[in-house]
Amino acid sequence: MDYRSLLYERGPHPDSRNEGYYVTITLNQPERRNCLSSELLGELEHALRSVGADGEVAGVVLAANGPVFSSGHDLAEMAQMTHAELQGLFTQCTDTMVAMSEIPQVVVARVHALATAAGAQLAASADLIVASTEAGFATPGGKGGLFCHTPMVALARPIGRKRAAELALTGDTIDAATALDWGLVNRVAPPERLDEVTMELLGRATRGSRHAKGVGKQTLYAQMDLPVGEAYKLAVDVMAAKAAAGDGAEWPKAFTEKRRPVWTHSS
C-alpha cells in the first residue's frame, strides 16, 4: 500500500513453523519527528483497519524512522485549528488508537527512541511494547499550558494511578528501565538487538490459531472493563462457543490423540 506518511510492508511470519504473515507499519516523517498530523493519523487508522480485514496476517509491528519515535500532535497544525477542528483531530486520534485494540491481530510497538505526548499514547495503545534502552516516554503537557488529557487515557491504565499522576503532572521523561518497572513496556533491549527481541516477542505472541488469538485479544480487553461477575459470564459464553467447534475443538482433540493440531484459523 502507498502512503505519504507511512511505510507498509508485509512479510512471512517470523516463526517458519507458523503459517501466515506479519505487517510492519513504520511512521516515516523523521524530518517532522513523526508528529501525529491529521494526515498521518488518518493513514495509520486506514493501515490498521486494512490489516484487521486481512485474515492471513497474524501480527503487526508498529515502528518509526528517525531520531524520535513520535513527538505527539503537530503543534503547528493545532495552532491554526478552531475548536471544532481540534475536536475532529482528537476524535481521529482516538479512532486510530482504538483501532489497535479492535483489530484481531497482535500489535507490537517497537519504540527505538523518545515517545512524547500523543506519541507515548500511540505506543501505549499497542498490545505489547519492546523499547530500546535509548527510548523514553513523557507527557510534557504537565509542565506546559495544555495537559495531556487524551494521552493519559492509554498511559494511565497499564501504570496505575500514582505513577500516572507523576508522569502527567511533572511532564518528566521516564527511561526504558523505569517504563519496564512501571509496567508500561514488556521488553527492553539494546539498540542492536531491538529488531531481534521485537520479532521474537511477536513470534511468541502470534503462535497458534489466528482466529483464536483474535477472539482472545478482543475478549480479554472487553472483560477487563467489566465487574468480575460480568467478566466471568462473558468469558464463559465465549469460551464455550469457541471450544465447541473449529480450532477450539481441535486443540483438545489433538492433545488426546497425541498429535500436532491442524489449524483452520476459523471457528
Side-chain angles (χ1 to χ4, degrees), residues 100-139:
M100 280 191 272
S101 64
E102 289 185 341
I103 66 172
Q105 290 84 359
V106 177
V107 181
V108 181
R110 174 193 174 279
V111 183
H112 72 290
L114 185 64
T116 66
Q121 177 189 6
L122 178 65
S125 297
D127 301 309
L128 304 167
I129 301 177
V130 179
S132 164
T133 51
E134 297 183 354
F137 302 85
T139 50

Side-chain angles (χ1 to χ4, degrees), residues 37-122:
S37 64
S38 298
E39 179 183 60
L40 188 149
L41 287 167
E43 289 190 350
L44 181 54
E45 184 186 6
H46 182 274
L48 289 165
R49 299 292 184 189
S50 297
V51 171
D54 189 338
E56 293 187 322
V57 175
V60 179
V61 174
L62 178 64
N65 285 331
V68 174
F69 178 78
S70 175
S71 60
H73 286 298
D74 183 347
L75 298 182
E77 180 184 47
M78 287 175 56
Q80 304 300 317
M81 286 181 160
T82 64
H83 182 184
E85 290 168 337
L86 287 164
Q87 186 83 25
L89 171 66
F90 298 136
T91 299
Q92 172 65 80
C93 183
T94 298
D95 291 344
T96 303
M97 305 298 167
V98 169
M100 280 191 272
S101 64
E102 289 185 341
I103 66 172
Q105 290 84 359
V106 177
V107 181
V108 181
R110 174 193 174 279
V111 183
H112 72 290
L114 185 64
T116 66
Q121 177 189 6
L122 178 65

Side-chain angles (χ1 to χ4, degrees), residues 215 219 232-246 248-249 267:
V215 173
T219 305
Y232 269 121
K233 183 180 186 308
L234 173 63
V236 166
D237 289 347
V238 174
M239 195 159 187
K242 295 305 173 183
S267 177

Side-chain angles (χ1 to χ4, degrees), residues 8-61:
Y8 184 103
E9 301 168 282
R10 193 172 188 262
H13 194 283
D15 186 337
S16 60
R17 295 168 296 180
N18 286 272
E19 300 174 348
Y21 300 86
Y22 80 100
V23 165
T24 301
I25 300 173
T26 306
L27 311 186
N28 193 39
Q29 291 195 318
E31 72 285 355
R32 301 183 64 194
R33 298 166 65 88
N34 294 313
C35 64
L36 302 183
S37 64
S38 298
E39 179 183 60
L40 188 149
L41 287 167
E43 289 190 350
L44 181 54
E45 184 186 6
H46 182 274
L48 289 165
R49 299 292 184 189
S50 297
V51 171
D54 189 338
E56 293 187 322
V57 175
V60 179
V61 174

Side-chain angles (χ1 to χ4, degrees), residues 214-259:
V215 173
K217 169 183 164 175
Q218 293 165 339
T219 305
L220 172 67
Y221 291 148
Q223 63 90 3
M224 289 174 71
D225 292 329
L226 297 173
V228 171
E230 293 179 35
Y232 269 121
K233 183 180 186 308
L234 173 63
V236 166
D237 289 347
V238 174
M239 195 159 187
K242 295 305 173 183
D247 288 343
E250 168 67 2
W251 179 245
K253 185 177 180 182
F255 177 80
T256 57
E257 294 175 357
K258 296 182 171 55
R259 60 174 176 81

